[in-house]
Amino acid sequence: VERRARRSMARLQGAGSIRFWGFTPPFDLGDAVNGVVDESSPLRALLVGPGDTRHLLATLAATAQRSCAAAAAGKPAPTLVEISVYEDRPEGLARQLILLSIALDFELPRRERAEVYLEVLANTLVREKTSAYIASRATVLRLVLAHGLGPLAEYIDVSLLKMKDRDALEEVLQLYAEDVPFDAVRYRDERLRRYYDARYDARKNVLDWDYTMELKPIAPIVHKLHFREWRMTGLAFEVRNAAYVAPNRTLSSMAFGRELGMSKMRRGYWGDVVNSPYVAAGGVEADDARLFDVKSNQQVKTACDVAYYNVLSWLTSLETGAPFCLKPSDVADFAYGSSVAGNSDWAKDILGKPQMPRIDEPITEALEGSRFEDLSCTEGAAAASSEPEPKDSAREAAREAAKAKVVANKFANLPAFKLRLLSGEWPEILRKPRHAGRYSLLYVASHAAHLVADDRVNALLAPRARVVLETAKFLLETRKDNRLEFGKRLLDLGASRGWTVDSTAGSAPDGASCAHLYLRYDAQTAGAIATEAKGRLGLTGGEADDALSSGASLEHKADGSAPGDEAVEPDAVLIEAAGTAGGEGGAGPAMGDKAATGRAPSISITAGADKGVVEELGQQQASASVCAITGLPAKYKDPVSGKPYANLEAFRELRKRYPAPERVLAPERPAGADEAGGERAQGEDRQPEGLPRRPIILNPGMARRINRAV
């Protein structure tokens, strides 16, 4: 039991096996490459496991502002922004597409898009009209994937996906239809029961501990009531008095596990149930300091308001190229959902609907909400008028043409960008020549940090590039000491690749106070820096790269235990959280006693994938055999190195690292010579003495013995 508990602690149980949102605030990728990429060169970035579109939208909004400023100054506008997103699961790519399509649906007003974006991003349950809207956007995206049709086709590049990955992505989008059953409440409750285990009935005490001791010191803008509501029900953003009854099918996914001793795939909710989506939604940071004012020791605004402000700012910049600014008189009334609920004065000035314009007037954003509001028509509203009013077909056609023209103009004003989708096994991405030396920025999420341990990762980078690594700052399943240790391991891992800390980005090597670590890469000096770092870490000699890959030298525990003390998977990024000896949770003691866990949590980094095994699916944990190259579940074992591997590609890589020894054939013996060197008589088949004999049944009733050992 203790060994199983330790193995379960080696994973972030609350974070889940798939990331539907990230755990760090959004930032502009263009700021990270200042000094590396000039304005005349395209920005090419590779995002590994970002979880959502927060960095993409923040970058596009900032690029639109720079383009507008450059045009006003008579300077050339920034060139192409090419962002490649790697997700190992099709559900992750589908979420990227659905969130991007919502942000770029210019037929909706900005306030509606902002509300729907946050609702789809974070809520387990959504409004019925939002569920219908998700299904309609999924249909649009399926046309983009299958036929390259629609306004989004020129911005989404799926040419790098294999056909099986495209099919898997399209299948996920088909599951967003309204007629597909998905009991989100039950699936999430199963996750909560498995996570809290014996503390399920005291889960309010557990989440109070997490909020007071872990979240509030680093993100006080997140209100306790909002955090509690999300942890209990899965609702993070609620608009007005709307009824949230439809499941958010974008949060459904398939996962491997074991049930009754058999491997199965099951659909359910395998996402985050502990850390909350407020950080990824932009709810903890903003460029307007007035949103963080404190009165009577209380935050004036909440994370919902800040997230709403950031999303509105992105959408406004994308459409107009200008930043989104609040007047001093509007700050007090600004709140999530107030643009509709309160019909405030600021909403009329910024986002509200003026009176209906004439057909010959340019159509305004007020008309863009008609399609979305049609989805929310109720029977009562339909029954208000017994007979429909006659429609002027010419008038309607003119309105639709004007609306289509406005939408086309907004798409034309977007900054030039391309979203390239990547999936499959990470070694395949590394070995393909099309990625060699292409990216000036590499972004790696915290749960994908093990991918950096591959010594071929530098081949992806341009001669001068930047690397951004996520830390564990906002992971509530860890403690401050663990976050510091995790940040230190990330820096050590980056140094072993020849990366240095970028002091100009304002990043201190601290995994507890910084959400991101900014590193520099220079091809001319990377080799010497990597050699020095490996020597400092004790990874000298020809086994250095293999030691980094296996994680043996980075397996030091934060609690002082030596490597190998625990039976953990050899190929995973392990962020061990506090838990009880017999349970599988990691949210901290229910009554606020850290000593109740028995020992301090620990963190270690190794090279394989953090696939994990879905604990909800079976009575026991699945086998610990994980491929030493890909991190996938291993089916085979290399007879030379003794390491497990999953497929032929992994076997070839193992054979490169561990060549098979040459076979030495024994000299042939003369025919008829026995082991003692003598001659055997013809027909004599000598059997070593002392070995049993076994009968061979030829047919019923007939048997004979042969001189062959068992």
Side-chain angles (χ1 to χ4, degrees), residues 36 458 461-467 497-500 519-530:
V36 175
N458 284 348
L461 303 177
R464 295 179 64 232
R466 294 290 185 270
V467 179
R497 303 272 70 86
W499 306 337
T500 58
L519 307 176
R520 289 174 174 264
Y521 168 75
D522 193 331
Q524 297 181 353
T525 60
I529 295 174

Side-chain angles (χ1 to χ4, degrees), residues 70-373:
K75 298 180 180 179
T79 55
L80 175 70
V81 175
E82 179 186 280
I83 298 181
S84 303
V85 175
Y86 171 79
E87 295 281 358
D88 60 348
R89 304 281 293 275
E91 293 88 354
L93 293 179
R95 284 269 292 183
Q96 298 273 343
L97 293 180
I98 204 74
L99 292 175
L100 179 64
S101 67
I102 293 174
L104 299 184
D105 186 8
F106 295 123
E107 294 187 13
L108 298 185
R110 290 192 292 271
R111 59 174 176 80
E112 292 284 0
R113 269 182 287 153
E115 292 173 357
V116 175
Y117 178 90
L118 293 174
E119 185 180 355
V120 175
L121 172 67
N123 287 0
T124 304
L125 297 176
V126 297
R127 295 169 290 176
E128 290 185 347
K129 68 174 183 179
T130 303
S131 178
Y133 178 68
I134 292 173
S136 66
R137 300 312 297 171
T139 302
V140 172
L141 291 172
R142 288 171 57 192
L143 291 176
V144 174
L145 296 178
H147 306 288
L149 301 177
L152 294 176
E154 62 175 296
Y155 303 104
I156 299 174
D157 184 4
V158 296
S159 62
L160 301 179
L161 293 177
K162 295 182 178 179
M163 294 306 299
K164 64 176 183 179
D165 295 328
R166 295 192 197 183
D167 294 340
L169 181 56
E170 188 172 355
E171 289 177 0
V172 173
L173 293 175
Q174 290 177 353
L175 296 177
Y176 293 170
E178 290 186 276
D179 58 349
V180 176
F182 177 62
D183 194 347
V185 176
R186 180 174 68 87
Y187 291 143
R188 191 175 188 276
D189 186 69
E190 290 177 355
R191 285 290 317 281
L192 293 176
R193 291 181 179 274
R194 188 69 176 179
Y195 172 73
Y196 289 114
D197 197 36
R199 303 172 297 169
Y200 179 80
D201 292 335
R203 59 190 183 277
K204 287 186 178 180
N205 296 337
V206 179
L207 67 88
D208 285 344
W209 166 274
D210 286 343
Y211 176 81
T212 304
M213 305 302 296
E214 302 299 333
L215 181 59
K216 188 175 181 179
I218 57 178
I221 192 67
V222 180
H223 200 280
K224 182 178 182 179
L225 295 180
H226 291 163
F227 181 74
R228 177 186 298 176
E229 181 71 12
W230 176 81
R231 284 279 287 260
M232 296 294 291
T233 66
L235 296 180
F237 297 93
E238 297 184 64
V239 181
R240 304 177 289 283
N241 295 322
Y244 292 85
V245 294
N248 186 356
R249 294 177 177 83
T250 68
L251 297 180
S252 65
S253 64
M254 303 294 292
F256 279 104
R258 297 186 66 82
E259 186 176 20
L260 301 178
M262 301 179 62
S263 297
K264 289 186 177 181
M265 287 191 69
R266 175 174 291 178
R267 189 169 183 237
Y269 175 74
W270 312 116
D272 180 23
V273 295
V274 172
N275 302 284
S276 83
Y278 294 111
V279 176
V284 298
E285 294 181 359
D287 56 6
D288 194 336
R290 298 173 296 178
L291 299 176
F292 299 91
D293 289 343
V294 178
K295 293 183 180 180
S296 300
N297 295 326
Q298 293 291 331
Q299 296 283 339
V300 176
K301 300 298 181 182
T302 67
C304 296
D305 306 330
V306 177
Y308 188 47
Y309 171 85
N310 281 325
V311 176
L312 281 177
S313 178
W314 299 339
L315 301 182
T316 302
S317 297
L318 285 175
E319 293 186 22
T320 65
F324 178 75
C325 298
L326 291 174
K327 299 178 181 179
S329 59
D330 298 331
V331 176
D333 293 333
F334 182 83
Y336 175 69
S338 64
S339 61
V340 178
N343 198 20
S344 305
D345 293 337
W346 75 267
K348 295 179 181 178
D349 295 337
I350 301 177
L351 302 173
K353 294 185 177 181
Q355 61 182 0
M356 193 65 65
R358 298 191 306 270
I359 293 305
D360 55 349
E361 294 178 346
I363 191 166
T364 65
E365 187 177 346
L367 299 179
E368 299 175 8
S370 58
R371 182 170 60 86
F372 187 77
E373 293 175 356

Side-chain angles (χ1 to χ4, degrees), residues 46 48 86 424-431 442 451 454 457 460:
L46 173 60
V48 181
Y86 171 79
E425 297 182 4
W426 180 248
E428 293 187 5
I429 303 296
L430 296 177
R431 70 175 179 82
L442 173 64
L451 302 178
D454 197 308
V457 70
L460 301 174

